[in-house]
Protein backbone atom coordinates (compact mmCIF):
# COMPACT_ATOMS: atom_id res chain seq x y z
CA UNK A 1 0.00 0.00 0.00
CA UNK A 2 1.34 3.41 -0.96
CA UNK A 3 1.05 6.08 1.69
CA UNK A 4 0.25 9.46 0.15
CA UNK A 5 2.76 12.20 0.83
CA UNK A 6 1.19 15.12 2.66
CA UNK A 7 1.47 18.38 0.76
CA UNK A 8 4.05 20.80 2.09
CA UNK A 9 2.41 23.98 3.40
CA UNK A 10 3.23 27.07 1.36
CA UNK A 11 3.69 30.58 2.73
CA UNK A 12 3.87 33.67 0.54
CA UNK A 13 5.40 36.77 2.10
CA UNK A 14 4.92 39.93 0.06
CA UNK A 15 4.93 43.69 0.24
CA UNK A 16 8.20 44.19 2.11
CA UNK A 17 11.93 43.84 1.61
CA UNK A 18 13.68 40.48 1.48
CA UNK A 19 17.41 40.48 2.22
CA UNK A 20 18.68 37.95 -0.29
CA UNK A 21 21.72 37.54 -2.54
CA UNK A 22 19.38 35.97 -5.08
CA UNK A 23 17.74 39.34 -5.75
CA UNK A 24 18.99 42.53 -4.06
CA UNK A 25 15.66 44.24 -4.82
CA UNK A 26 13.37 41.38 -3.72
CA UNK A 27 10.06 42.28 -2.10
CA UNK A 28 8.53 38.80 -1.77
CA UNK A 29 9.44 35.22 -0.81
CA UNK A 30 7.77 31.83 -1.02
CA UNK A 31 8.43 29.10 1.53
CA UNK A 32 7.37 25.50 0.86
CA UNK A 33 7.60 23.29 3.92
CA UNK A 34 11.00 23.81 5.50
CA UNK A 35 12.67 25.35 2.45
CA UNK A 36 12.80 28.67 0.65
CA UNK A 37 11.23 28.04 -2.76
CA UNK A 38 11.43 31.43 -4.47
CA UNK A 39 12.59 35.01 -3.92
CA UNK A 40 11.65 37.87 -6.23
CA UNK A 41 9.56 40.90 -7.07
CA UNK A 42 6.03 41.84 -6.10
CA UNK A 43 4.68 41.45 -9.61
CA UNK A 44 5.84 37.85 -9.92
CA UNK A 45 4.56 37.02 -6.43
CA UNK A 46 0.96 37.18 -7.66
CA UNK A 47 1.39 33.87 -9.49
CA UNK A 48 1.92 32.09 -6.14
CA UNK A 49 -1.09 33.57 -4.35
CA UNK A 50 -3.71 31.01 -5.44
CA UNK A 51 -1.81 28.03 -4.05
CA UNK A 52 -0.43 29.60 -0.87
CA UNK A 53 -1.71 28.26 2.45
CA UNK A 54 -0.73 31.52 4.13
CA UNK A 55 -0.23 34.96 2.62
CA UNK A 56 1.71 37.37 4.82
CA UNK A 57 1.31 41.05 4.02
CA UNK A 58 4.64 42.41 5.23
CA UNK A 59 3.43 46.00 5.15
CA UNK A 60 6.94 47.19 4.46
CA UNK A 61 8.66 44.90 6.98
CA UNK A 62 12.13 43.46 6.41
CA UNK A 63 12.73 39.71 6.03
CA UNK A 64 16.21 38.41 6.79
CA UNK A 65 17.83 35.09 7.57
CA UNK A 66 17.41 34.25 11.23
CA UNK A 67 20.45 34.99 13.35
CA UNK A 68 22.77 32.30 14.68
CA UNK A 69 24.36 33.03 18.05
CA UNK A 70 27.62 31.11 17.90
CA UNK A 71 28.39 31.02 21.63
CA UNK A 72 25.74 30.61 24.32
CA UNK A 73 25.32 29.00 27.74
CA UNK A 74 21.60 28.33 27.55
CA UNK A 75 20.75 27.18 31.07
CA UNK A 76 22.85 29.90 32.69
CA UNK A 77 21.16 32.44 30.40
CA UNK A 78 17.74 31.17 31.45
CA UNK A 79 18.68 31.25 35.13
CA UNK A 80 19.81 34.86 34.70
CA UNK A 81 16.55 35.72 32.95
CA UNK A 82 14.40 34.08 35.62
CA UNK A 83 16.58 34.49 38.70
CA UNK A 84 18.94 36.89 40.41
CA UNK A 85 20.40 39.31 37.88
CA UNK A 86 23.15 41.52 39.31
CA UNK A 87 24.17 43.29 36.10
CA UNK A 88 22.53 46.54 37.21
CA UNK A 89 24.13 46.58 40.67
CA UNK A 90 26.23 49.72 41.14
CA UNK A 91 28.21 48.55 44.15
CA UNK A 92 28.54 45.94 46.90
CA UNK A 93 25.69 47.34 49.00
CA UNK A 94 23.21 47.14 46.14
CA UNK A 95 24.38 43.64 45.22
CA UNK A 96 23.96 42.44 48.82
CA UNK A 97 20.49 44.01 49.02
CA UNK A 98 19.52 42.12 45.87
CA UNK A 99 20.82 38.86 47.36
CA UNK A 100 18.81 39.43 50.53
CA UNK A 101 15.60 40.21 48.63
CA UNK A 102 16.03 37.22 46.32
CA UNK A 103 16.74 34.91 49.25
CA UNK A 104 13.53 35.97 51.00
CA UNK A 105 11.51 35.55 47.81
CA UNK A 106 12.86 32.04 47.01
CA UNK A 107 12.78 30.11 50.29
CA UNK A 108 12.61 26.71 48.55
CA UNK A 109 15.82 27.12 46.52
CA UNK A 110 18.63 25.03 47.96
CA UNK A 111 21.27 27.47 46.68
CA UNK A 112 20.93 31.15 45.83
CA UNK A 113 22.16 31.50 42.24
CA UNK A 114 23.01 34.89 40.77
CA UNK A 115 24.97 36.34 37.90
CA UNK A 116 26.35 39.54 36.47
CA UNK A 117 28.21 41.51 39.17
CA UNK A 118 30.99 43.61 37.69
CA UNK A 119 33.24 45.57 40.04
CA UNK A 120 34.91 47.44 37.16
CA UNK A 121 32.54 50.35 37.75
CA UNK A 122 32.09 49.95 41.51
CA UNK A 123 33.71 52.36 43.97
CA UNK A 124 37.30 51.26 44.36
CA UNK A 125 36.51 47.96 42.63
CA UNK A 126 35.47 46.53 46.01
CA UNK A 127 33.38 43.34 46.19
CA UNK A 128 31.26 41.96 49.04
CA UNK A 129 33.19 40.02 51.65
CA UNK A 130 32.18 36.52 52.68
CA UNK A 131 30.74 37.51 56.06
CA UNK A 132 28.52 40.14 54.44
CA UNK A 133 27.37 37.61 51.85
CA UNK A 134 26.57 35.07 54.57
CA UNK A 135 24.50 37.66 56.40
CA UNK A 136 22.61 38.78 53.28
CA UNK A 137 21.67 35.18 52.48
CA UNK A 138 20.79 34.33 56.07
CA UNK A 139 23.40 31.59 56.13
CA UNK A 140 22.24 29.84 52.95
CA UNK A 141 24.59 28.61 50.19
CA UNK A 142 25.18 31.35 47.60
CA UNK A 143 26.90 31.22 44.21
CA UNK A 144 27.26 34.50 42.31
CA UNK A 145 29.15 34.56 39.02
CA UNK A 146 31.05 37.61 37.86
CA UNK A 147 29.82 39.00 34.54
CA UNK A 148 32.50 37.02 32.63
CA UNK A 149 31.64 33.77 34.52
CA UNK A 150 35.35 33.15 35.18
CA UNK A 151 35.19 33.97 38.86
CA UNK A 152 32.51 33.88 41.51
CA UNK A 153 31.57 34.86 45.04
CA UNK A 154 30.51 32.01 47.28
CA UNK A 155 29.10 31.94 50.79
CA UNK A 156 30.53 29.89 53.62
CA UNK A 157 27.63 27.44 53.45
CA UNK A 158 28.44 26.66 49.81
CA UNK A 159 32.18 26.33 50.46
CA UNK A 160 31.37 23.84 53.20
CA UNK A 161 29.88 21.57 50.52
CA UNK A 162 33.25 21.27 48.72
CA UNK A 163 35.83 19.14 50.57
CA UNK A 164 39.36 20.48 50.29
CA UNK A 165 38.29 23.79 48.78
CA UNK A 166 40.82 25.83 50.77
CA UNK A 167 43.74 23.92 49.21
CA UNK A 168 42.58 24.39 45.62
CA UNK A 169 44.22 26.81 43.20
CA UNK A 170 42.21 30.01 42.93
CA UNK A 171 40.80 29.87 46.47
CA UNK A 172 40.48 33.16 48.34
CA UNK A 173 39.42 33.35 51.99
CA UNK A 174 37.38 36.50 51.46
CA UNK A 175 37.33 37.34 47.76
CA UNK A 176 36.28 35.93 44.40
CA UNK A 177 37.20 32.36 43.55
CA UNK A 178 39.02 31.56 40.30
CA UNK A 179 40.56 28.51 38.62
CA UNK A 180 40.09 25.08 40.19
CA UNK A 181 38.34 26.47 43.27
CA UNK A 182 35.77 28.22 41.14
CA UNK A 183 35.16 25.13 39.00
CA UNK A 184 34.62 22.99 42.11
CA UNK A 185 32.20 25.45 43.67
CA UNK A 186 30.34 25.84 40.36
CA UNK A 187 29.88 22.07 40.18
CA UNK A 188 28.53 21.96 43.73
CA UNK A 189 26.12 24.82 43.04
CA UNK A 190 24.82 23.38 39.77
CA UNK A 191 24.21 20.00 41.38
CA UNK A 192 21.52 21.64 43.47
CA UNK A 193 19.53 22.74 40.43
CA UNK A 194 16.59 20.39 39.94
CA UNK A 195 15.61 18.98 36.56
CA UNK A 196 12.46 21.10 36.71
CA UNK A 197 14.44 24.30 37.40
CA UNK A 198 16.87 23.49 34.61
CA UNK A 199 14.15 22.83 32.06
CA UNK A 200 12.31 26.01 33.05
CA UNK A 201 15.50 28.02 32.59
CA UNK A 202 16.22 26.42 29.22
CA UNK A 203 12.71 27.11 27.96
CA UNK A 204 13.00 30.74 29.08
CA UNK A 205 16.29 31.20 27.25
CA UNK A 206 15.08 29.55 24.03
CA UNK A 207 11.87 31.56 24.07
CA UNK A 208 13.79 34.78 24.60
CA UNK A 209 16.15 33.93 21.74
CA UNK A 210 13.20 33.34 19.43
CA UNK A 211 11.72 36.75 20.26
CA UNK A 212 15.01 38.29 19.07
CA UNK A 213 15.00 36.63 15.65
CA UNK A 214 17.58 34.02 16.64
CA UNK A 215 17.00 30.75 14.82
CA UNK A 216 20.00 28.78 16.06
CA UNK A 217 22.30 28.67 19.07
CA UNK A 218 25.69 27.07 19.54
CA UNK A 219 25.62 25.72 23.08
CA UNK A 220 29.14 25.73 24.56
CA UNK A 221 28.97 23.13 27.30
CA UNK A 222 31.42 20.86 29.07
CA UNK A 223 32.19 19.03 32.30
CA UNK A 224 33.46 22.20 33.99
CA UNK A 225 30.55 24.36 32.82
CA UNK A 226 27.17 22.67 32.94
CA UNK A 227 27.38 18.87 33.08
CA UNK A 228 26.09 16.02 30.94
CA UNK A 229 22.48 16.01 32.15
CA UNK A 230 22.16 19.70 31.43
CA UNK A 231 23.63 19.24 27.94
CA UNK A 232 21.59 16.23 26.88
CA UNK A 233 18.44 17.70 28.40
CA UNK A 234 18.86 20.90 26.42
CA UNK A 235 19.41 19.02 23.16
CA UNK A 236 16.31 16.93 23.81
CA UNK A 237 14.24 20.03 24.57
CA UNK A 238 15.42 21.76 21.39
CA UNK A 239 14.63 18.64 19.37
CA UNK A 240 10.96 19.09 20.27
CA UNK A 241 10.99 21.86 17.68
CA UNK A 242 9.19 24.68 19.47
CA UNK A 243 12.10 27.11 19.41
CA UNK A 244 15.52 27.79 17.91
CA UNK A 245 17.80 24.99 16.82
CA UNK A 246 20.57 24.09 19.27
CA UNK A 247 23.92 22.75 18.13
CA UNK A 248 25.89 21.49 21.09
CA UNK A 249 29.65 21.64 21.60
CA UNK A 250 31.26 19.66 24.40
CA UNK A 251 34.43 21.25 25.78
CA UNK A 252 36.45 18.32 27.05
CA UNK A 253 40.01 17.45 26.01
CA UNK A 254 40.41 14.06 24.33
CA UNK A 255 43.30 11.95 23.16
CA UNK A 256 41.56 8.91 21.66
CA UNK A 257 38.77 7.79 19.35
CA UNK A 258 37.04 6.11 22.29
CA UNK A 259 36.77 9.40 24.13
CA UNK A 260 35.36 11.01 21.00
CA UNK A 261 32.75 8.26 20.75
CA UNK A 262 31.51 9.43 24.14
CA UNK A 263 31.39 13.03 22.92
CA UNK A 264 29.31 11.90 19.94
CA UNK A 265 27.05 9.83 22.19
CA UNK A 266 26.20 13.00 24.11
CA UNK A 267 24.92 14.49 20.86
CA UNK A 268 27.72 17.02 20.44
CA UNK A 269 28.65 18.33 17.00
CA UNK A 270 32.24 18.90 18.11
CA UNK A 271 34.75 18.58 20.94
CA UNK A 272 35.04 22.33 21.08
CA UNK A 273 33.52 25.48 22.55
CA UNK A 274 34.64 26.31 26.06
CA UNK A 275 37.55 23.92 26.29
CA UNK A 276 39.53 26.34 28.41
CA UNK A 277 43.11 27.15 27.51
CA UNK A 278 42.89 30.21 29.76
CA UNK A 279 40.29 32.36 31.54
CA UNK A 280 39.16 35.97 31.11
CA UNK A 281 40.68 39.44 31.27
CA UNK A 282 38.13 40.72 33.76
CA UNK A 283 39.02 38.02 36.27
CA UNK A 284 42.79 38.35 35.59
CA UNK A 285 42.82 34.73 34.37
CA UNK A 286 43.44 35.18 30.62
CA UNK A 287 46.98 33.99 29.88
CA UNK A 288 49.31 36.78 28.74
CA UNK A 289 52.88 36.93 27.49
CA UNK A 290 53.56 39.93 29.77
CA UNK A 291 51.99 40.65 33.18
CA UNK A 292 48.76 42.56 33.60
CA UNK A 293 49.08 46.28 34.08
CA UNK A 294 47.08 46.03 37.31
CA UNK A 295 48.36 42.69 38.64
CA UNK A 296 51.79 41.12 39.02
CA UNK A 297 51.14 37.90 37.11
CA UNK A 298 50.25 36.63 33.62
CA UNK A 299 47.01 34.76 34.30
CA UNK A 300 46.16 31.07 34.31
CA UNK A 301 46.95 28.14 32.03
CA UNK A 302 44.38 25.34 31.97
CA UNK A 303 45.80 23.21 29.17
CA UNK A 304 49.20 23.52 27.48
CA UNK A 305 50.40 23.33 23.90
CA UNK A 306 51.00 19.59 24.06
CA UNK A 307 47.41 19.00 25.17
CA UNK A 308 46.14 21.22 22.35
CA UNK A 309 48.15 19.16 19.87
CA UNK A 310 46.88 15.84 21.20
CA UNK A 311 43.28 17.04 21.14
CA UNK A 312 43.48 18.35 17.58
CA UNK A 313 45.18 15.19 16.32
CA UNK A 314 42.51 12.95 17.87
CA UNK A 315 39.66 15.09 16.56
CA UNK A 316 41.10 15.51 13.07
CA UNK A 317 41.76 11.80 12.66
CA UNK A 318 38.19 11.04 13.76
CA UNK A 319 36.62 13.72 11.54
CA UNK A 320 35.37 15.73 14.53
CA UNK A 321 35.60 19.51 14.86
CA UNK A 322 37.94 20.62 17.64
CA UNK A 323 38.08 23.97 19.35
CA UNK A 324 39.23 25.93 22.35
CA UNK A 325 38.51 28.97 24.50
CA UNK A 326 41.50 31.30 24.23
CA UNK A 327 41.57 35.01 25.07
CA UNK A 328 45.10 36.10 26.07
CA UNK A 329 47.98 36.42 23.61
CA UNK A 330 49.93 33.62 25.30
CA UNK A 331 46.90 31.33 25.20
CA UNK A 332 46.43 32.04 21.50
CA UNK A 333 50.11 31.32 20.84
CA UNK A 334 49.70 28.02 22.64
CA UNK A 335 46.64 27.18 20.54
CA UNK A 336 48.14 28.06 17.18
CA UNK A 337 51.43 26.32 18.02
CA UNK A 338 49.45 23.26 19.08
CA UNK A 339 47.30 23.21 15.96
CA UNK A 340 50.42 23.71 13.81
CA UNK A 341 52.07 20.71 15.48
CA UNK A 342 48.94 18.65 14.86
CA UNK A 343 48.99 19.69 11.20
CA UNK A 344 52.59 18.51 10.96
CA UNK A 345 51.41 15.14 12.26
CA UNK A 346 48.19 14.53 10.32
CA UNK A 347 48.67 16.88 7.36
CA UNK A 348 47.69 20.50 7.02
CA UNK A 349 44.98 19.81 4.44
CA UNK A 350 43.13 17.58 6.91
CA UNK A 351 43.39 20.20 9.64
CA UNK A 352 42.11 22.91 7.32
CA UNK A 353 39.20 20.73 6.16
CA UNK A 354 38.11 20.13 9.78
CA UNK A 355 37.44 23.85 10.35
CA UNK A 356 38.53 23.82 13.96
CA UNK A 357 37.29 26.86 15.85
CA UNK A 358 38.56 29.20 18.55
CA UNK A 359 36.23 31.00 20.94
CA UNK A 360 36.91 34.69 21.67
CA UNK A 361 40.37 34.99 20.03
CA UNK A 362 40.69 38.40 21.63
CA UNK A 363 44.37 39.41 21.98
CA UNK A 364 45.80 38.29 18.66
CA UNK A 365 49.32 39.08 17.50
CA UNK A 366 50.37 39.38 13.86
CA UNK A 367 51.78 35.85 14.12
CA UNK A 368 48.70 34.22 15.62
CA UNK A 369 46.37 36.05 13.24
CA UNK A 370 48.40 34.76 10.28
CA UNK A 371 48.27 31.27 11.76
CA UNK A 372 44.47 31.46 11.99
CA UNK A 373 44.34 32.17 8.26
CA UNK A 374 46.89 29.51 7.30
CA UNK A 375 45.29 26.79 9.44
CA UNK A 376 41.71 27.74 8.39
CA UNK A 377 40.61 28.31 11.98
CA UNK A 378 37.22 29.90 12.56
CA UNK A 379 37.13 32.80 15.02
CA UNK A 380 33.99 32.71 17.15
CA UNK A 381 33.90 36.26 18.51
CA UNK A 382 31.72 38.52 20.65
CA UNK A 383 31.61 42.20 19.59
CA UNK A 384 29.58 43.14 22.67
CA UNK A 385 32.71 42.49 24.75
CA UNK A 386 34.31 45.54 23.16
CA UNK A 387 31.15 47.60 23.62
CA UNK A 388 31.10 46.69 27.33
CA UNK A 389 34.79 46.84 28.23
CA UNK A 390 36.72 48.46 25.38
CA UNK A 391 37.87 52.03 24.88
CA UNK A 392 40.56 54.08 26.64
CA UNK A 393 38.62 54.21 29.91
CA UNK A 394 37.28 50.66 29.87
CA UNK A 395 38.16 47.56 31.84
CA UNK A 396 40.41 46.25 29.07
CA UNK A 397 42.62 49.33 29.29
CA UNK A 398 42.79 48.97 33.07
CA UNK A 399 43.92 45.36 32.75
CA UNK A 400 46.32 45.73 29.83
CA UNK A 401 47.14 49.39 29.36
CA UNK A 402 45.99 51.41 26.38
CA UNK A 403 48.47 49.99 23.84
CA UNK A 404 47.69 46.31 24.40
CA UNK A 405 43.99 46.98 24.86
CA UNK A 406 43.85 48.63 21.44
CA UNK A 407 44.88 45.30 19.87
CA UNK A 408 41.85 43.44 21.22
CA UNK A 409 39.16 41.97 18.98
CA UNK A 410 40.63 42.94 15.58
CA UNK A 411 37.62 41.99 13.48
CA UNK A 412 38.64 43.94 10.37
CA UNK A 413 42.12 42.41 10.33
CA UNK A 414 40.64 38.92 10.69
CA UNK A 415 38.35 39.47 7.72
CA UNK A 416 41.15 40.95 5.63
CA UNK A 417 43.25 37.87 6.33
CA UNK A 418 40.42 35.61 5.20
CA UNK A 419 39.60 34.23 8.65
CA UNK A 420 35.94 33.18 8.90
CA UNK A 421 34.02 34.93 11.67
CA UNK A 422 31.04 33.59 13.59
CA UNK A 423 29.40 36.12 15.90
CA UNK A 424 27.83 35.40 19.26
CA UNK A 425 27.10 36.79 22.70
CA UNK A 426 28.56 34.32 25.24
CA UNK A 427 25.23 34.85 27.02
CA UNK A 428 24.78 35.37 29.90
CA UNK A 429 28.17 37.17 29.85
CA UNK A 430 26.60 39.68 27.48
CA UNK A 431 22.91 39.54 26.57
CA UNK A 432 21.38 37.85 23.56
CA UNK A 433 21.11 40.89 21.29
CA UNK A 434 21.91 40.27 17.61
CA UNK A 435 21.32 43.77 16.25
CA UNK A 436 23.23 45.22 19.20
CA UNK A 437 26.05 42.82 18.34
CA UNK A 438 26.15 44.14 14.78
CA UNK A 439 26.20 47.71 16.07
CA UNK A 440 29.12 46.85 18.35
CA UNK A 441 31.08 45.33 15.45
CA UNK A 442 30.43 48.33 13.21
CA UNK A 443 31.21 50.84 15.96
CA UNK A 444 34.19 49.07 17.55
CA UNK A 445 35.82 51.39 20.10
CA UNK A 446 39.09 51.01 18.18
CA UNK A 447 38.19 52.41 14.74
CA UNK A 448 40.62 50.30 12.71
CA UNK A 449 38.90 47.14 13.96
CA UNK A 450 35.46 48.15 12.66
CA UNK A 451 33.69 46.16 9.95
CA UNK A 452 30.70 46.98 7.79
CA UNK A 453 27.24 46.10 9.05
CA UNK A 454 26.85 43.86 6.03
CA UNK A 455 29.99 41.89 6.91
CA UNK A 456 28.92 41.63 10.54
CA UNK A 457 25.44 40.49 9.47
CA UNK A 458 26.97 37.74 7.32
CA UNK A 459 29.10 36.61 10.27
CA UNK A 460 26.04 36.51 12.57
CA UNK A 461 23.92 34.52 10.12
CA UNK A 462 25.83 32.56 7.50
CA UNK A 463 28.99 32.61 9.62
CA UNK A 464 27.38 30.51 12.33
CA UNK A 465 26.30 27.91 9.80
CA UNK A 466 29.69 27.90 8.15
CA UNK A 467 31.27 27.23 11.53
CA UNK A 468 29.20 24.04 11.57
CA UNK A 469 30.41 23.06 8.09
CA UNK A 470 27.05 23.86 6.46
CA UNK A 471 27.97 26.43 3.84
CA UNK A 472 24.64 26.48 2.02
CA UNK A 473 22.60 27.79 4.94
CA UNK A 474 22.12 31.18 6.53
CA UNK A 475 20.92 32.97 3.40
CA UNK A 476 17.49 33.32 1.81
CA UNK A 477 17.95 31.67 -1.58
CA UNK A 478 15.89 28.93 -3.26
CA UNK A 479 16.65 25.58 -1.67
CA UNK A 480 18.00 26.98 1.59
CA UNK A 481 16.53 26.03 4.96
CA UNK A 482 13.64 28.36 5.82
CA UNK A 483 15.09 29.92 8.95
CA UNK A 484 14.12 33.58 8.79
CA UNK A 485 12.88 36.55 10.78
CA UNK A 486 10.53 39.43 9.99
CA UNK A 487 11.46 42.84 11.34
CA UNK A 488 9.77 46.15 11.97
CA UNK A 489 12.46 48.71 11.27
CA UNK A 490 13.20 52.16 9.96
CA UNK A 491 15.14 53.13 6.87
CA UNK A 492 17.41 50.58 5.26
CA UNK A 493 20.91 51.86 4.53
CA UNK A 494 24.33 50.58 3.55
CA UNK A 495 26.86 51.14 6.33
CA UNK A 496 30.53 50.51 5.66
CA UNK A 497 33.61 51.14 7.78
CA UNK A 498 35.50 52.45 4.73
CA UNK A 499 34.10 55.64 3.12
CA UNK A 500 35.27 54.58 -0.35
CA UNK A 501 33.33 51.32 -0.02
CA UNK A 502 30.34 53.21 1.34
CA UNK A 503 30.25 55.56 -1.66
CA UNK A 504 30.12 52.67 -4.11
CA UNK A 505 27.84 50.44 -2.06
CA UNK A 506 25.16 53.11 -1.67
CA UNK A 507 25.01 53.64 -5.43
CA UNK A 508 21.94 51.71 -6.70
CA UNK A 509 24.04 50.32 -9.55
CA UNK A 510 26.03 48.27 -7.04
CA UNK A 511 22.96 46.17 -6.17
CA UNK A 512 23.98 46.17 -2.51
CA UNK A 513 20.95 45.45 -0.31
CA UNK A 514 20.37 47.71 2.66
CA UNK A 515 20.10 46.81 6.33
CA UNK A 516 18.59 48.72 9.28
CA UNK A 517 20.35 51.91 10.32
CA UNK A 518 22.42 50.98 13.38
CA UNK A 519 23.88 54.42 14.00
CA UNK A 520 24.06 55.46 17.68
CA UNK A 521 20.67 56.53 18.97
CA UNK A 522 18.71 54.81 16.23
CA UNK A 523 16.17 52.28 17.58
CA UNK A 524 17.03 48.66 16.94
CA UNK A 525 14.68 46.55 14.79
CA UNK A 526 11.83 44.74 16.53
CA UNK A 527 11.20 41.09 15.69
CA UNK A 528 7.67 40.41 14.41
CA UNK A 529 8.09 36.75 13.54
CA UNK A 530 10.78 34.08 13.78
CA UNK A 531 10.57 30.93 11.67
CA UNK A 532 12.78 27.87 12.05
CA UNK A 533 12.58 25.19 9.37
CA UNK A 534 9.28 26.63 8.20
CA UNK A 535 7.81 26.49 11.73
CA UNK A 536 6.76 29.73 13.42
CA UNK A 537 8.46 29.87 16.83
CA UNK A 538 7.68 33.51 17.63
CA UNK A 539 4.86 35.59 16.22
CA UNK A 540 3.73 39.16 16.74
CA UNK A 541 2.34 39.52 13.24
CA UNK A 542 -0.92 37.91 14.29
CA UNK A 543 -1.56 39.57 17.59
Amino acid sequence: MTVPIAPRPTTLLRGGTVYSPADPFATAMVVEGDRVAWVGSEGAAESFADRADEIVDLDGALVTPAFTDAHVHTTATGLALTGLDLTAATGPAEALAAVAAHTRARPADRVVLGHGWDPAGWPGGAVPGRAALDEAADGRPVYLTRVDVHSALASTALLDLVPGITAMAGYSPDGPLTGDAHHAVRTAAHETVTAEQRRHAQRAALHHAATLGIGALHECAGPLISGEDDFTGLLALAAEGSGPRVFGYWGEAVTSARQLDRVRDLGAVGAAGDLFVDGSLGSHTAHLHAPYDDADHTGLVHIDTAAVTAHVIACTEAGVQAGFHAIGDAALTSVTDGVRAAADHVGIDRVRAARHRIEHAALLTDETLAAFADLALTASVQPAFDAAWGGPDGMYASRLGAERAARLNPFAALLRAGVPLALGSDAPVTPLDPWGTLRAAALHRTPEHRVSVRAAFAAHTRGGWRALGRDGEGTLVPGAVADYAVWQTGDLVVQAADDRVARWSTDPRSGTPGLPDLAPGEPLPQCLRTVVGGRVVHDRLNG
Side-chain angles (χ1 to χ4, degrees), residues 25-36:
F25 306 107
T27 60
M29 182 173 76
V30 173
V31 174
E32 292 182 351
D34 64 349
R35 297 279 165 172
V36 176

Side-chain angles (χ1 to χ4, degrees), residues 219-497:
E219 167 69 12
C220 292
L224 297 178
I225 303 167
S226 53
E228 293 184 9
D229 289 344
D230 182 277
F231 185 64
T232 57
L234 172 63
L235 297 182
L237 177 62
E240 295 176 5
S242 60
R245 306 172 191 271
V246 175
F247 299 96
Y249 285 93
W250 187 251
E252 183 172 7
V254 301
T255 57
S256 69
R258 177 173 294 183
Q259 290 173 314
L260 281 168
D261 286 340
R262 178 174 159 276
V263 172
R264 287 192 183 100
D265 288 345
L266 290 172
V269 297
D274 271 341
L275 174 47
F276 296 115
V277 176
D278 66 347
S280 74
L281 291 167
S283 290
H284 292 98
T285 53
H287 186 208
L288 307 176
H289 283 305
Y292 286 86
D293 265 35
D294 60 353
D296 60 353
H297 61 83
T298 58
L300 297 181
V301 179
H302 293 298
I303 61 174
D304 60 15
T305 302
V308 170
T309 301
H311 183 76
V312 174
I313 288 173
C315 289
T316 304
E317 290 181 334
V320 174
Q321 189 180 30
F324 306 91
H325 161 120
I327 287 180
D329 51 2
L332 287 160
T333 296
S334 181
V335 166
T336 52
D337 286 353
V339 177
R340 178 75 65 191
D344 291 342
H345 181 85
V346 302
I348 194 167
D349 289 342
R350 293 179 70 187
V351 165
R352 288 169 175 165
R355 300 189 185 185
H356 302 311
R357 57 186 281 171
I358 312 301
E359 309 303 313
H360 314 308
L363 191 55
L364 289 157
T365 63
D366 291 344
E367 292 75 20
T368 52
L369 193 152
F372 266 59
D374 186 46
L375 297 165
L377 299 175
T378 293
S380 170
V381 297
Q382 297 73 39
F385 286 10
D386 175 74
W389 303 306
D393 300 320
M395 179 270 288
Y396 286 156
S398 297
R399 294 290 185 268
L400 302 177
E403 183 177 349
R404 276 192 296 178
R407 289 166 34 205
L408 285 163
N409 305 305
F411 305 139
L414 285 163
L415 286 178
R416 284 196 301 270
V419 176
L421 297 186
L423 268 54
S425 63
D426 199 6
V429 175
T430 59
L432 297 170
D433 179 15
W435 290 108
T437 294
L438 301 193
R439 176 180 278 169
L443 299 175
H444 197 296
R445 292 177 183 272
T446 304
E448 58 262 37
H449 298 331
R450 293 174 179 172
V451 298
S452 69
V453 172
R454 187 182 182 199
F457 184 84
H460 213 351
T461 51
R462 191 173 185 179
W465 285 99
R466 189 197 181 284
L468 296 163
R470 296 171 63 168
D471 290 350
E473 310 302 344
T475 59
L476 299 180
V477 296
V481 170
D483 288 10
Y484 63 92
V486 180
W487 305 94
Q488 179 181 333
T489 186
D491 293 339
L492 302 182
V493 299
V494 176
Q495 296 156 279

